[in-house]
Amino acid sequence: MKYFSLLLFSFVLLLASNSFAQDKLIGTWERTGDDFAGAQVKVFKTGSTFKGKIVFATQAMIEGCFGVGEIKWMNIIKAGKGYYEMDDLSKSSSCDSWYAYKYIEFSDDTHITITSMTTDPTTSGNFQTWTKISDD
């Protein structure tokens, strides 16, 4: 009976810890590998979705009309294991802005790729790579 109680307690504890676990997308992400490398976006939960706010903009990003405090990623929804869908803020050379539908895919717990399609990002053209630098 003691063994069963211990097993039941462990199972309940495991379930409770998973239900309160923070989504691995939450935190601060830094862009890598392109002209906007070094820019940072902080992802946070808002209701049933997530948003990502620019918390650091590089000079190239500022010249591209992006600024600290802007919502870069919005309407982020989990679509599968390690896979999200979202709207990504885009800007034209004349600073007109719009949100483009994109996909986020985890390559591991601290690296994501953002693409406009769900195929291999290296062959699909436009893609962004980001590295997680903080969990908060």
Side-chain angles (χ1 to χ4, degrees):
M1 185 65 177
K2 284 183 181 181
Y3 176 74
F4 178 75
S5 296
L6 181 62
L7 185 62
L8 182 61
F9 176 75
S10 297
F11 181 71
V12 169
L13 187 62
L14 179 65
L15 285 177
S17 67
N18 283 340
S19 66
F20 294 109
Q22 178 171 294
D23 190 282
K24 66 182 179 176
L25 189 61
I26 293 174
T28 303
W29 295 86
E30 184 171 275
R31 193 154 168 172
T32 61
D34 64 12
D35 293 343
F36 288 169
Q40 295 176 6
V41 170
K42 183 172 183 163
V43 175
F44 54 96
K45 191 165 179 75
T46 58
S48 62
T49 66
F50 302 89
K51 287 184 180 177
K53 182 191 307 187
I54 299 171
V55 294
F56 179 77
T58 62
Q59 187 60 40
M61 213 169 174
I62 292 167
E63 290 169 4
C65 303
F66 292 92
V68 171
E70 285 188 285
I71 299 298
K72 174 77 168 117
W73 304 335
M74 64 184 292
N75 302 322
I76 305 169
I77 57 168
K78 193 168 192 169
K81 184 176 170 130
Y83 174 74
Y84 297 76
E85 298 173 2
M86 70 157 175
D87 296 317
D88 181 34
L89 181 63
S90 297
K91 304 253 182 154
S92 70
S93 59
S94 61
C95 296
D96 293 328
S97 63
W98 67 93
Y99 283 92
Y101 193 74
K102 300 278 178 88
Y103 301 93
I104 300 172
E105 293 185 72
F106 276 83
S107 53
D108 60 42
D109 285 345
T110 60
H111 296 90
I112 58 173
T113 301
I114 297 175
T115 61
S116 58
M117 47 183 25
T118 58
T119 60
D120 180 2
T122 60
T123 61
S124 65
N126 188 10
F127 67 97
Q128 305 167 23
T129 57
W130 296 78
T131 300
K132 192 171 200 179
I133 60 171
S134 172
D135 285 327
D136 51 297

